[in-house]
Amino acid sequence: MKQKQVVYVISDSVGETAELVVKAVATQFNGGHVEIRRNSYVDDIEDIEDVILLAKKGNSLIAYTIVIPALKEYLDQRAAEEDLVAVDLLSPLMNAFSAKFNQEPHHQPGLMRKLDEEYFRKIEAIEFAVKYDDGRDPRGILKADIVLIGVSRTSKTPLSMYLAHKRFKVANVPLVPEVPPPDELFQIPRKNCIGLIISPDKLNEIRKERLKALGLGSQANYASFQRILDELDYAEKIMKRVGCPIINVSNKAVEETAGLILDVLKKERSL
């Protein structure tokens, strides 16, 4: 009876990288019919010894991604003593990096997983900002790390997206005199909310440009000075009722305003 082909994957992290490489290679032989037994988060020689004994018993191959030098040396030594093939999947490329770029590796397991987690947190925050943009669903207010409120054209959406790239879940709510603010706005801690205001002259200029871009006349009520004053007055009353910090965005780039928001929140939440 033909002996089962087994590859033991050993990693001081999750081991996904090693398993994917083994699978890629296995597809070149016998249609990939190889049993892979993954051993994740190996952090002492006893774990390695267990795999060595199993691999010897089954005359199996070992593939590993271990960055902790002491564990790697032990595995190489024991594999040689037991006449086992143990393939190091990382060191050749790590050595090439060191030689070419004149840098030393951190020898710290789990860094790839950390990068992946950071990436997925950012994607989640971006999706959150899109879902809860412009007050579409007030339930997002209760889930958000930051809630931005202000009249139209105070950069709420660009700020939400910018902060999302820094992994903050941001909801934004437009303040319009004819539309009562959502109840959820008054249920969150004041330190989670930021009010955005702007000078009437600057808002008038921005709104006129917006109307022009839409092919509409600049005399529309949306850009009228009295309408703007009414909206700003209404917005400030809501912000005072919420009790949130207020930032004036006039003549500020999105990056500058975002920095101010984070500074204010840091100060508020440290009190």
Side-chain angles (χ1 to χ4, degrees):
M1 183 177 177
K2 188 175 180 180
Q3 190 174 26
K4 183 188 295 184
Q5 295 177 323
V6 178
V7 177
Y8 286 90
V9 166
I10 304 177
S11 176
D12 46 19
S13 185
V14 179
E16 288 178 342
T17 300
E19 184 169 344
L20 286 172
V21 172
V22 171
K23 284 180 178 178
V25 172
T27 58
Q28 303 297 319
F29 300 89
N30 304 318
H33 299 306
V34 173
E35 181 179 344
I36 300 173
R37 298 179 184 175
R38 192 202 296 185
N39 297 265
S40 305
Y41 301 108
V42 170
D43 59 4
D44 59 46
I45 61 175
E46 291 180 3
D47 293 333
I48 290 175
E49 196 61 38
D50 290 341
V51 180
I52 290 287
L53 295 176
L54 289 169
K56 181 181 179 181
K57 183 178 179 181
N59 191 28
S60 303
L61 179 70
I62 296 174
Y64 69 88
T65 52
I66 293 179
V67 297
I68 301 173
L71 292 180
K72 169 184 160 42
E73 290 170 12
Y74 183 83
L75 175 53
D76 287 340
Q77 177 188 329
R78 289 292 292 122
E81 290 172 355
E82 300 296 344
D83 197 26
L84 290 168
V85 176
V87 181
D88 182 350
L89 300 175
L90 292 183
S91 287
L93 190 54
M94 287 176 67
N95 292 338
F97 265 63
S98 294
K100 186 65 178 177
F101 304 125
N102 195 29
Q103 291 180 305
E104 288 300 314
H106 295 294
H107 295 297
Q108 181 181 340
L111 294 181
M112 185 66 183
R113 172 62 58 175
K114 185 177 179 181
L115 285 174
D116 286 345
E117 288 172 355
E118 292 288 308
Y119 171 77
F120 285 116
R121 274 202 295 269
K122 180 166 73 172
I123 295 301
E124 184 180 7
I126 292 170
E127 290 176 346
F128 186 95
V130 172
K131 183 175 182 179
Y132 298 111
D133 181 46
D134 206 32
R136 290 176 189 168
D137 185 346
R139 291 175 297 181
I141 295 171
L142 302 177
K143 304 174 186 177
D145 299 319
I146 304 171
V147 178
L148 303 178
I149 59 175
V151 301
S152 172
R153 315 314 294 177
T154 47
S155 299
K156 296 186 299 300
T157 296
L159 283 166
S160 295
M161 296 306 298
Y162 185 89
L163 292 166
H165 277 82
K166 294 187 176 295
R167 298 176 297 282
F168 290 97
K169 293 181 179 179
V170 186
N172 73 75
V173 180
L175 298 179
V176 184
E178 293 79 14
V179 181
D183 293 337
E184 288 84 353
L185 196 57
F186 306 101
Q187 297 170 12
I188 60 173
R190 61 182 296 278
K191 62 185 179 182
N192 286 7
C193 186
I194 293 286
L196 304 175
I197 60 170
I198 188 171
S199 71
D201 289 333
K202 185 64 180 177
L203 185 57
N204 178 252
E205 177 186 328
I206 292 171
R207 288 191 174 181
K208 282 182 177 179
E209 288 299 317
R210 177 60 176 165
L211 289 172
K212 187 186 297 184
L214 294 172
L216 301 173
S218 61
Q219 302 306 312
N221 188 46
Y222 177 71
S224 76
F225 212 79
Q226 186 57 53
R227 171 65 185 185
I228 285 172
L229 291 175
D230 291 344
E231 285 190 35
L232 291 174
D233 182 60
Y234 172 77
E236 289 199 45
K237 287 178 181 176
I238 297 298
M239 291 173 194
K240 288 178 181 177
R241 183 179 163 194
V242 173
C244 63
I246 297 173
I247 293 176
N248 192 321
V249 303
S250 304
N251 300 312
K252 289 185 175 66
V254 168
E255 296 85 353
E256 183 182 359
T257 305
L260 290 172
I261 289 171
L262 295 179
D263 288 344
V264 168
L265 290 177
K266 184 177 180 181
K267 181 181 178 180
E268 287 287 320
R269 293 175 183 182
S270 65
L271 297 177

